[in-house]
Amino acid sequence: MSSGFLVTADGEVFEGRSVGVEGVRVGEAVFNTSMTGYQEVLSDPSYAGQVVVMTSPHIGNYGVSDYDDQAARPAARGLIVRSLSLRHSNWRAEGTLAAYLRSHEMVALADLDTRRLTRHLRDRGAMPVAIGAGVGPEELAVLAAEAPRMEGQDLATGVSTPEPYRFDPDGDPVGRVVAIDLGMKRDIGRRMAGRGLEVHVLPATCTAEDILGLDPTGVFLTNGPGDPEPLEHTIGTVRALLGGVPVFGICLGHQVIGLALGATTFKLPFGHHGGNHPVRRLEDGRVEITAQNHGFAVDLWSLEGRKAPERKGLAGPDLLPQQVTSDFGEVRPTHQNLNDGTLEGLRCLDIPAMSVQYHPEAAPGPHDALGLFDDFLALMGLGTEDC
């Protein structure tokens, strides 16, 4: 196998070994702290435009399975690992990760110093990189320096479904949900269908009239990639829905709801990517370990025209407002990230709407937050029995 290189926008050069196809890819480098779930990560549409750096040193030992794909093909621009397993051993496996990478024409590097790269991204922030096999670092350095930043990019429209489709419920339907696809993972539809919901998935370009024409019990805003602020059409659609139908959003959908309420968003230094992020439930103080993948966050303080207080020491609830007034009434923060204190969830008190910044379906990750789907059922006035 040939050598390959990764060059950051600020000129750092990392050498590795090509384990994918030859070629060049450019994207924002982010590090993911999950120990497993590499296939779900690669195929998560939320990773569109990004090169994923796995911090766990050994990747690929249990192979790949078609069922674990979260979309028709990988969305990530590339993969960086320290050590790629040449063999796989798992009763579910249908092939190796290396073969998966090549079949999807992905550029990927192994034997690269992911510890040094992760420290660089943590200290300097997520940034564009160029990775390549069969090219030299000089060419990659030019491409990385010229690559656009994530801010201002609408990547969600590009990964959204071009045509509507649906998930049929397991058993008798208890309600109908319309999902606005900003980069939806398959396991989200499976989780809702397992609770007896008929799920209609519509493109990101759908209108409020398209949604209401399906007579939904509730509306779901999915995860997705990129900056939420350019999604003006979707934000307007959500504003037209709020107060008229129950709305639940996750990840990018959470950010879109925040913007629809009148708040602003901001870019995190290196984002939250992994299956082990601690989140405090503000109502009772309990902590959930969550799966996350996002680079932006909602600033609820902006609804009061105030700046967030400076963090000193451990992240505490005082870093978030207790309650704020939005264009649609009172809003209360419900969840907080314990690593940096940022907002991880909100609930509207005057209309049926709520959202969280993370992935309750996991895929991959822990199942601590699965109950949020039952909370969505309750928001729609339905039963909470898991079908």
Side-chain angles (χ1 to χ4, degrees):
M1 294 184 182
S2 62
S3 62
F5 296 92
L6 178 150
V7 183
T8 65
D10 59 358
E12 287 291 311
V13 178
F14 299 80
E15 185 173 1
R17 173 175 58 90
S18 173
V19 292
V21 299
E22 286 198 349
V24 175
R25 302 289 186 272
V26 176
E28 180 188 63
V30 295
F31 57 88
N32 185 295
T33 56
S34 296
M35 297 182 69
T36 61
Y38 44 81
Q39 184 181 351
E40 294 95 322
V41 167
L42 291 174
S43 58
D44 178 355
S46 298
Y47 279 105
Q50 294 180 318
V51 173
V52 180
V53 181
M54 301 299 294
T55 62
S56 185
H58 195 57
I59 299 296
N61 59 322
Y62 59 85
V64 296
S65 168
D66 287 345
Y67 184 84
D68 292 336
D69 273 331
Q70 296 301 305
R73 59 172 292 108
R77 292 273 173 85
L79 175 67
I80 308 296
V81 301
R82 179 68 185 92
S83 173
L84 182 72
S85 178
L86 299 180
R87 297 181 180 179
H88 63 278
S89 178
N90 188 278
W91 66 272
R92 297 175 67 250
E94 298 169 354
T96 66
L97 176 57
Y100 177 87
L101 295 169
R102 291 191 292 269
S103 69
H104 289 291
E105 299 184 340
M106 292 195 68
V107 175
L109 303 179
D111 297 345
L112 187 142
D113 190 346
T114 53
R115 183 185 293 260
R116 181 167 76 92
L117 177 54
T118 297
R119 289 172 66 91
H120 187 77
L121 297 175
R122 187 187 65 189
D123 294 342
R124 306 287 182 86
M127 65 181 71
V129 301
I131 64 172
V135 297
E138 297 82 6
E139 179 183 343
L140 296 175
V142 174
L143 294 173
E146 295 176 347
R149 294 273 175 174
M150 189 63 71
E151 294 91 330
Q153 290 197 58
D154 171 10
L155 297 176
T157 303
V159 298
S160 179
T161 179
E163 299 292 337
Y165 66 96
R166 60 185 278 180
F167 288 85
D168 291 323
D170 295 349
D172 295 330
V174 300
R176 178 182 297 132
V177 167
V178 172
I180 302 177
D181 181 13
L182 305 176
M184 184 172 175
K185 295 165 67 177
R186 286 175 177 166
D187 268 42
I188 293 172
R190 292 166 181 163
R191 292 294 183 186
M192 290 196 285
R195 284 163 168 76
L197 293 170
E198 178 184 292
V199 184
H200 292 254
V201 184
L202 299 188
T205 54
C206 68
T207 66
E209 290 74 20
D210 295 332
I211 295 168
L212 295 176
L214 292 170
D215 191 24
T217 316
V219 174
F220 180 79
L221 276 77
T222 77
N223 60 293
D227 188 341
E229 292 195 358
L231 304 180
E232 296 180 359
H233 173 83
T234 304
I235 295 167
T237 297
V238 174
R239 286 184 65 88
L241 296 170
L242 287 173
V245 62
V247 177
F248 176 36
I250 68 166
C251 190
L252 183 62
H254 159 78
Q255 297 161 16
V256 168
I257 288 177
L259 291 167
L261 292 172
T264 61
T265 58
F266 62 95
K267 184 78 162 65
L268 294 164
F270 43 78
H272 303 150
H273 310 276
N276 49 11
H277 286 256
V279 169
R280 176 195 287 120
R281 296 193 330 199
L282 296 175
E283 181 180 24
D284 56 16
R286 293 185 62 181
V287 176
E288 297 175 342
I289 304 302
T290 66
Q292 305 206 8
N293 173 31
H294 58 98
F296 293 81
V298 176
D299 179 13
L300 276 188
W301 290 103
S302 63
L303 286 171
E304 293 190 342
R306 297 171 54 190
K307 290 186 177 181
E310 184 178 349
R311 179 181 140 198
K312 297 178 180 178
L314 297 176
D318 58 307
L319 293 177
L320 299 175
Q322 292 186 355
Q323 194 166 304
V324 292
T325 303
S326 75
D327 295 342
F328 294 86
E330 297 300 299
V331 178
R332 181 174 296 164
T334 56
H335 299 76
Q336 181 184 36
N337 189 290
L338 287 180
N339 288 332
D340 59 14
T342 53
L343 181 74
E344 289 277 2
L346 62 83
R347 191 176 189 110
C348 296
L349 304 185
D350 299 313
I351 60 172
M354 67 179 196
S355 61
V356 293
Q357 182 61 83
Y358 47 96
H359 290 246
E361 85 293 340
H367 294 163
D368 294 25
L370 276 178
L372 285 165
F373 288 113
D374 297 324
D375 293 343
F376 184 32
L377 287 171
L379 189 73
M380 294 185 288
L382 303 174
T384 58
E385 182 179 353
D386 191 337
C387 299

